[in-house]
Amino acid sequence: MGGSKSYGINCEQLDLSYLGLCKAPDHTAYYFLNEDHGLFTLPQEDFNRVREEYSHSRTKNLQTPLQVICKYNGLVMAEFKDDDNEVKIHYLAQDLLYPLDKLTVNFLVADEYEAAKERLRKLTKLCYGNRKRNIAILINPISGKQESYNIYKTKLRPMLKVTRMNYKVFKTDGPDFIDKWVSRLKFKQKTYEEREETLEEEDQESSLICEYTDIVVIGGDGLLSLYLNSCYKHHFFNTLIKIPILILPGGTGNALSMDLGGKNIFNLCIKFLRGETVKGDLIRADFMTSKISVLCTAFCWGFVSKVIEKSDSWRGCLGASRYTVCGAREVLCAGGPWSMRTHQLSKIQHNVSISEDICKVSSTQPLEEVKDQETDESDNLETSAVPIIEKHDIKSDRSCYTNSGSYKLIKEASMNGNMITRGEFDFNQEILQSQDNQNMERMSQLGAIIDQRDEVDWTNIDLSEISIMVLTTHECRRSGSKEVFAPFTRINDGKMFLCGFKECSKLEMLMMMAKVSTGKGNQVRMSKYFHQEVKQIRIHPNSETCFNVDGEVYDSDEVILTCLPGMINLFGEPYKIQ
Ligand SMILES: Nc1ncnc2c1ncn2[C@@H]1O[C@H](COP(=O)(O)OP(=O)(O)OP(=O)(O)O)[C@@H](O)[C@H]1O
């Protein structure tokens, strides 16, 4: 048994009625379960003294320290063997050296076993609820240091196994994988009971549920971005975007995962098991030409974009430090003396405008077109192109799906509170009939109204004195370092910020980069750093520069970027603002 810690517990906090008592296999210790403190233990010789102490103490302060095995939130799951009166408790050890540990206790008395079982069931239900989950795990094997699969195998999988959740694992085999995978997702209509739970959601699309209840992305920000953008193009974006996402840091930068507690993967997994989510902000990018996309991390151009583009070829040899090394090189190696102004390197010449208030903007491509292209393309795809590498199906229920790929749907309707019809109909036909309504609804929900692009009051920002500019909705931490770029904003604050460095010399630029890398947020106090909250910005690129959208390189094009507050559900918890 690893990782026990000793500390005294104030008896005022202990409700002894919640305590369970069981004997250790070697009869030398007693174990307690408590909703506030989790699982703790006491040597046998101390037990009677503590009980005495408790019953006589007026202050209810225990002098004898208890050994805490795991805090309440570290309790993962319990297994029961009725024949042997045995309980196996899986928990997170506190030293995290061997994080997932287990304790097996055999009860000598059947009644005690039954009582402990009851308490453990209650505790784990409090922890994880009763929600039936079917989890899709998407792994990018080439991202970052190629650790994604290992993260799954050593950290997430053990927890999923003991909690007996249904899950399927998919390994990406190239850049197109996610798009194909999303286009093949299956949906079914909510049952009568499921719809009862969400009475307010009565429209066609809200009554659908995806085959997966949770998505786990193990890779970098690029992989998450690919997933979100594939969802964005899907017919049922409104349904897909509600599916909560866990991002485990398998990539290089892992900015969003780091901001949600990804530094401690075990704690993040526990939050995932317990269903602890936050509403995250997204950015919608409307490009003048064909592409419409959503961003979850940052939109960069100029210097930053150039560094990210160049550093991609250094992926193999430098790993996570490629951005820092490449950034420093860009500043230092471009011609000219030390006093040279860095804006000459970055060549930011865009016009940027900020709208006065939250306004609706135009969509440059009718969404029907996007959707039709997708449908045509996905029809030609082979299902076998999506490799399932692992499947863990506790209670497989595929009765709703037919083998043909199109699937049947059991429709339940009610009249006077009773279910009166139960028939099957072709779901694809229904999709065709409802396409127009869905797209209008979806666009209005996203704040996109066609042909109002020029009705917005735009204010120009003078870029002549700016060296670096980034648009983001969260802190932008980096794994493998302490770096924090925008320490004043959080993924769930409903805000989007334009931030960066004003024109500075090479030396000042390097100093600023050094401040960012300490992670203390001191750059914010420097006069050359700026940040400004914006609802929407428009960029007119007038040079041959590229954009960087969540780490992926895009050709530059006129674009309007709009904040979509609270659009996604993400597992984890952002850092508290100091
Ligand atoms: N199997 C694969 N083979 C080749 N490329 C892939 C594969 N799977 C995904 N990709 C591509 O890998 C790119 C990078 O992915 P990802 O964001 O996961 O890692 P990263 O760039 O190392 O991390 P970060 O974005 O945090 O810096 C994406 O553009 C994606 O299209």
Side-chain angles (χ1 to χ4, degrees):
M1 184 177 64
S4 300
K5 261 189 190 164
S6 222
Y7 69 89
I9 288 178
N10 184 338
C11 273
E12 296 280 11
Q13 300 162 9
L14 286 182
D15 178 354
L16 280 193
S17 64
Y18 283 125
L19 288 183
L21 168 66
C22 45
K23 283 185 180 164
D26 57 1
H27 297 254
T28 55
Y30 289 87
Y31 294 89
F32 301 88
L33 290 164
N34 177 271
E35 281 178 26
D36 295 322
H37 300 288
L39 181 67
F40 51 98
T41 185
L42 188 70
Q44 189 180 20
E45 57 272 20
D46 290 341
F47 178 70
N48 285 335
R49 187 161 45 79
V50 167
R51 196 159 53 178
E52 194 83 343
E53 199 182 297
Y54 180 80
S55 55
H56 290 111
S57 167
R58 300 187 103 220
T59 59
K60 301 268 189 241
N61 264 324
L62 281 184
Q63 298 306 314
T64 312
L66 303 171
Q67 295 256 301
V68 176
I69 295 174
C70 78
K71 297 267 180 68
Y72 163 60
N73 64 3
L75 193 64
V76 176
M77 194 44 75
E79 287 179 277
F80 309 104
K81 243 196 212 169
D82 287 347
D83 292 345
D84 303 334
N85 285 352
E86 185 183 288
V87 176
K88 199 181 276 177
I89 301 167
H90 299 264
Y91 63 93
L92 274 190
Q94 311 226 355
D95 59 8
L96 294 186
L97 285 178
Y98 181 63
L100 194 62
D101 214 336
K102 58 180 179 283
L103 166 74
T104 308
V105 186
N106 289 89
F107 287 81
L108 300 178
V109 183
D111 283 355
E112 281 184 2
Y113 166 70
E114 289 301 327
K117 196 169 154 183
E118 188 59 27
R119 273 187 300 275
L120 271 167
R121 285 226 165 108
K122 198 170 143 203
L123 271 177
T124 47
K125 190 173 153 197
L126 274 171
C127 282
Y128 307 115
N130 272 338
R131 193 160 76 96
K132 277 191 189 156
R133 295 167 83 168
N134 193 23
I135 301 160
I137 302 170
L138 304 170
I139 298 176
N140 181 355
I142 64 118
S143 56
K145 292 182 187 158
Q146 308 190 350
E147 277 289 303
S148 296
Y149 185 72
N150 210 25
I151 290 175
Y152 157 71
K153 206 171 88 181
T154 58
K155 302 191 171 159
L156 182 62
R157 189 168 69 179
M159 293 196 194
L160 293 175
K161 288 235 185 273
V162 294
T163 49
R164 294 176 182 274
M165 290 191 185
N166 286 342
Y167 62 88
K168 268 189 206 165
V169 183
F170 303 89
K171 240 186 202 176
T172 61
D173 58 5
D176 297 336
F177 177 92
I178 295 288
D179 212 38
K180 290 178 199 166
W181 185 83
V182 170
S183 72
R184 290 203 195 92
L185 285 173
K186 291 172 184 155
F187 296 81
K188 69 182 176 97
Q189 196 163 41
K190 283 180 185 170
T191 62
Y192 177 74
E193 289 78 15
E194 283 163 340
R195 262 183 286 169
E196 278 288 280
E197 286 170 15
T198 48
L199 273 178
E200 75 281 5
E201 298 170 358
E202 289 193 332
D203 59 283
Q204 168 74 30
E205 195 164 346
S206 299
S207 71
L208 293 172
I209 39 178
C210 177
E211 59 185 311
Y212 297 109
T213 58
D214 303 77
I215 303 290
V216 178
V217 171
I218 313 183
D221 295 308
L223 189 68
L224 175 67
S225 187
L226 283 177
Y227 168 72
L228 287 174
N229 278 291
S230 304
C231 291
Y232 194 66
K233 290 187 286 181
H234 199 280
H235 304 292
F236 297 132
F237 174 71
N238 286 345
T239 302
L240 286 172
I241 201 68
K242 285 183 194 144
I243 302 175
I245 306 166
L246 169 70
I247 317 152
L248 294 182
T252 311
N254 304 302
L256 188 49
S257 180
M258 287 300 116
D259 287 359
L260 289 160
K263 265 204 161 66
N264 187 331
I265 295 179
F266 272 97
N267 279 353
L268 188 55
C269 288
I270 285 286
K271 285 187 192 308
F272 167 66
L273 296 180
R274 297 177 65 150
E276 291 176 18
T277 57
V278 293
K279 293 246 167 241
D281 309 325
L282 287 182
I283 302 173
R284 174 193 160 108
D286 290 278
F287 290 92
M288 182 59 106
T289 53
S290 61
K291 298 174 297 262
I292 301 175
S293 65
V294 279
L295 288 75
C296 51
T297 286
F299 186 96
C300 320
W301 64 106
F303 178 80
V304 178
S305 171
K306 205 161 141 192
V307 169
I308 295 176
E309 190 188 12
K310 288 202 168 176
S311 64
D312 203 51
S313 56
W314 299 24
R315 180 184 281 270
C317 54
L318 286 178
S321 46
R322 68 182 195 266
Y323 298 128
T324 314
V325 175
C326 198
R329 184 179 172 274
E330 273 300 298
V331 175
L332 291 173
C333 297
W338 273 95
S339 60
M340 189 179 142
R341 298 286 163 183
T342 47
H343 80 271
Q344 291 170 16
L345 305 175
S346 57
K347 286 188 186 148
I348 300 173
Q349 294 165 340
H350 308 154
N351 295 320
V352 178
S353 313
I354 301 177
S355 62
E356 294 296 327
D357 49 30
I358 308 171
C359 21
K360 312 288 185 187
V361 296
S362 60
S363 164
T364 52
Q365 184 187 19
L367 290 169
E368 284 82 354
E369 276 180 34
V370 179
K371 184 185 57 201
D372 287 342
Q373 285 162 9
E374 284 306 298
T375 311
D376 292 340
E377 205 178 297
S378 60
D379 282 348
N380 296 328
L381 297 173
E382 287 296 317
T383 315
S384 58
V386 180
I388 296 176
I389 59 166
E390 199 167 324
K391 186 178 164 190
H392 184 257
D393 209 354
I394 295 291
K395 246 192 196 171
S396 183
D397 179 11
R398 294 275 173 274
S399 54
C400 279
Y401 307 115
T402 63
N403 292 334
S404 67
S406 89
Y407 44 95
K408 292 174 184 174
L409 161 80
I410 308 295
K411 183 161 183 163
E412 295 164 328
S414 72
M415 186 177 279
N416 300 327
N418 301 317
M419 266 182 251
I420 55 154
T421 60
R422 193 178 171 90
E424 294 181 349
F425 60 91
D426 189 290
F427 191 58
N428 288 336
Q429 202 147 12
E430 194 166 328
I431 291 173
L432 289 173
Q433 283 165 5
S434 59
Q435 272 174 2
D436 290 350
N437 293 345
Q438 283 162 15
N439 282 322
M440 283 313 294
E441 187 194 331
R442 173 184 145 190
M443 287 171 71
S444 63
Q445 279 190 7
L446 294 178
I449 290 178
I450 294 180
D451 293 336
Q452 288 187 355
R453 184 174 272 260
D454 294 322
E455 288 175 20
V456 174
D457 291 328
W458 299 100
T459 309
N460 285 329
I461 289 181
D462 179 13
L463 282 182
S464 61
E465 293 191 347
I466 287 180
S467 289
I468 284 183
M469 204 183 250
V470 170
L471 186 74
T472 183
T473 56
H474 62 99
E475 289 173 279
C476 294
R477 287 176 184 272
R478 271 246 320 268
S479 59
S481 75
K482 293 179 179 166
E483 186 180 309
V484 182
F485 194 75
F488 39 81
T489 182
R490 295 292 180 271
I491 186 71
N492 60 341
D493 62 5
K495 293 178 184 169
M496 175 169 87
F497 281 89
L498 203 51
C499 45
F501 303 155
K502 291 179 196 162
E503 184 183 275
C504 49
S505 67
K506 285 183 176 184
L507 187 59
E508 284 172 321
M509 174 73 89
L510 290 173
M511 280 168 59
M512 208 86 80
M513 285 166 74
K515 292 261 181 213
V516 170
S517 69
T518 64
K520 293 181 180 159
N522 290 343
Q523 72 271 21
V524 176
R525 289 195 214 107
M526 294 180 80
S527 60
K528 292 288 169 78
Y529 185 89
F530 70 92
H531 67 280
Q532 177 173 2
E533 188 188 339
V534 288
K535 304 287 180 208
Q536 195 170 54
I537 70 164
R538 175 160 68 172
I539 303 168
H540 307 271
N542 56 6
S543 65
E544 300 246 325
T545 183
C546 59
F547 287 151
N548 198 281
V549 181
D550 282 347
E552 304 293 307
V553 179
Y554 275 56
D555 291 337
S556 63
D557 180 16
E558 185 183 319
V559 61
I560 292 181
L561 297 139
T562 311
C563 183
L564 304 176
M567 197 72 193
I568 37 171
N569 295 305
L570 298 163
F571 290 101
E573 192 184 8
Y575 289 80
K576 304 260 181 298
I577 292 188
Q578 306 282 316

